[in-house]
Amino acid sequence: LERCGRWQEALQLLLRIEETGDPDVVCFSTAMNACARQSRWKEALDLLDLMPIFHHKPNAYCYNTAASACARAGRWQKALELLSSMKRHGIDLDAVAFNAAMAAAVEAGHGDQALQLMRGMAQIGVQPSLVSYGIAMLATNRLGRWEETLALLEELRSSGHFPDAGCLHAARLAAKEANMDELKHSLSMEISRCPRSSIDTPREEPCGPKTPSTTEDICRLASLGQWEDALMLLDGEPDAECIKELVS
């Protein structure tokens, strides 16, 4: 149920468990994850609030799952509130928690807030992940700040991460808009050397129909930092229009 995003069935199952016994943290986190997959942010937050009633303290995974639900729904302020709540309850903040808040901010059109969050990670000793950089590069591209996108790519490389296809596509668009043809060509060559499995190899869906290969779906996945999943929706070699939509 969790993997299929069947949130209603997951909630009903949780209610039945409540009637017959004491649902544990796994039960709650599973139901929350099903809600997150369908952007049911209110239900995910309700489950988070319900856990203490059953004498369970939400862990980092539960908070991150709730933040992911908020991110998918573009509820960036709620995602920020969850960050504050984690800190208040003594739960160590990690890159996953920040990434969810950053993605929510980008989804809601607040790219500057996402970039501020990423810089705030370093202040508390949290190392930005590859996904963090991907979301930040999406934010700078949407803001039309091409130089910052390219600077983020260099920062990504110097941090020890290897850029994935999504980050390289974002940098390629920035180079194109900045009329840096030589760099654009170099990035195109680097993209061509990315493992094909990260570009166009389809994944088997656990249940239900495959996600339609629409620009809206591609942009939503990209905004959440799910670069490989976004690229999976492209049929074969990405064309210029899809790439532009992916990282714009």
Side-chain angles (χ1 to χ4, degrees), residues 22-97:
D22 182 15
D24 58 15
V25 173
V26 174
C27 292
F28 278 101
S29 61
T30 299
M32 289 168 61
N33 206 9
C35 292
R37 287 174 178 269
Q38 295 299 317
S39 305
R40 307 297 302 190
W41 64 278
K42 289 183 179 179
E43 289 81 359
L45 293 180
D46 286 343
L47 287 168
L48 191 68
D49 291 338
L50 192 61
M51 291 182 68
I53 297 176
F54 288 87
H55 309 290
H56 295 307
K57 180 181 179 181
N59 55 26
Y61 180 82
C62 293
Y63 273 102
N64 290 341
T65 301
S68 176
C70 294
R72 290 173 181 269
R75 299 285 176 170
W76 65 281
Q77 291 174 315
K78 291 293 182 181
L80 287 178
E81 290 174 11
L82 287 172
L83 282 178
S84 298
S85 182
M86 291 176 71
K87 185 176 181 180
R88 189 167 58 252
H89 288 91
I91 299 174
D92 291 335
L93 298 176
D94 56 13
V96 176

Side-chain angles (χ1 to χ4, degrees), residues 4-239:
C4 298
R6 292 158 60 182
W7 64 276
Q8 291 172 313
E9 291 92 332
L11 289 180
Q12 290 172 2
L13 181 59
L14 180 61
L15 289 173
R16 286 199 292 272
I17 295 175
E18 289 179 10
E19 293 172 355
T20 59
D22 182 15
D24 58 15
V25 173
V26 174
C27 292
F28 278 101
S29 61
T30 299
M32 289 168 61
N33 206 9
C35 292
R37 287 174 178 269
Q38 295 299 317
S39 305
R40 307 297 302 190
W41 64 278
K42 289 183 179 179
E43 289 81 359
L45 293 180
D46 286 343
L47 287 168
L48 191 68
D49 291 338
L50 192 61
M51 291 182 68
I53 297 176
F54 288 87
H55 309 290
H56 295 307
K57 180 181 179 181
N59 55 26
Y61 180 82
C62 293
Y63 273 102
N64 290 341
T65 301
S68 176
C70 294
R72 290 173 181 269
R75 299 285 176 170
W76 65 281
Q77 291 174 315
K78 291 293 182 181
L80 287 178
E81 290 174 11
L82 287 172
L83 282 178
S84 298
S85 182
M86 291 176 71
K87 185 176 181 180
R88 189 167 58 252
H89 288 91
I91 299 174
D92 291 335
L93 298 176
D94 56 13
V96 176
F98 275 95
N99 291 345
M102 288 173 61
V106 173
E107 181 77 1
H110 296 280
D112 278 318
Q113 182 67 55
L115 296 172
Q116 191 174 14
L117 281 167
M118 182 171 170
R119 298 311 175 195
M121 294 171 69
Q123 297 176 4
I124 62 171
V126 176
Q127 177 69 30
S129 66
L130 177 61
V131 173
S132 307
Y133 280 100
I135 298 171
M137 293 172 72
L138 178 67
T140 52
N141 270 1
R142 287 188 173 182
L143 293 168
R145 288 157 30 185
W146 317 117
E147 295 83 359
E148 290 185 42
T149 301
L150 298 175
L152 282 167
L153 178 64
E154 292 309 308
E155 183 181 324
L156 168 63
R157 295 186 195 276
S158 63
S159 70
H161 292 296
F162 290 98
D164 62 5
C167 291
L168 293 172
H169 278 309
R172 182 183 180 279
L173 176 62
K176 176 183 176 182
E177 295 296 332
N179 296 316
M180 302 173 69
D181 293 337
E182 185 175 343
L183 177 58
K184 184 183 75 171
H185 177 71
S186 175
L187 289 167
S188 296
M189 295 298 294
E190 192 170 354
I191 291 169
S192 70
R193 292 192 295 270
C194 285
R196 300 306 302 173
S197 60
S198 71
I199 298 178
D200 61 7
T201 302
R203 291 178 178 174
E204 182 179 352
E205 295 292 332
C207 67
K210 290 187 179 295
T211 306
S213 297
T214 63
T215 297
E216 180 181 357
D217 291 330
I218 290 169
C219 291
R220 178 173 291 277
L221 286 169
S223 71
L224 295 174
Q226 298 173 6
W227 308 104
E228 291 188 1
D229 290 336
L231 290 167
M232 296 295 180
L233 296 182
L234 299 175
D235 184 17
E237 189 70 17
D239 58 38

